[in-house]
């Protein structure tokens, strides 16, 4: 099982967020990604939003 990540640069926002979050497990990644999305981007923590985040997860290491 490889690393997983979500890169905010793939989803441009008004804040021009450049954060990339990576973890060894999907559960760990989702926990911190939801926290980031709610506190920084103002999203609501809903099942629908979590499903969208799950679709954004990529395998491997983020590009530099």
């Amino acid at each position: 099982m490889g690393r997983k990540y979500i890169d905010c640069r793939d989803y441009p926002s008004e804040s021009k967020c450049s954060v990339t979050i990576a973890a060894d497990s999907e559960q760990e990644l989702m926990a911190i990604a939801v926290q980031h999305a709610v506190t920084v981007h103002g999203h609501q923590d809903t099942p629908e939003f979590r499903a969208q985040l799950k679709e954004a997860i990529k395998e491997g290491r983020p590009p530099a």
Side-chain angles (χ1 to χ4, degrees), residues 3-64:
R3 292 277 285 169
K4 298 175 186 322
Y5 72 95
I6 295 176
D7 191 336
C8 281
R9 295 173 296 183
D10 293 337
Y11 307 94
S13 65
E14 290 180 15
S15 65
K16 297 184 179 18
C17 186
S18 63
V19 168
T20 300
I21 302 167
D24 290 334
S25 74
E26 187 173 304
Q27 293 79 14
E28 186 178 19
L29 179 60
M30 283 294 290
I32 195 67
V34 168
Q35 182 181 27
H36 173 76
V38 169
T39 59
V40 174
H41 298 288
H43 290 283
Q44 298 290 319
D45 183 2
T46 64
E48 294 82 13
F49 181 68
R50 284 179 177 258
Q52 289 176 339
L53 273 181
K54 189 171 182 171
E55 293 295 317
I57 294 174
K58 297 180 181 172
E59 296 279 337
R61 298 199 177 271

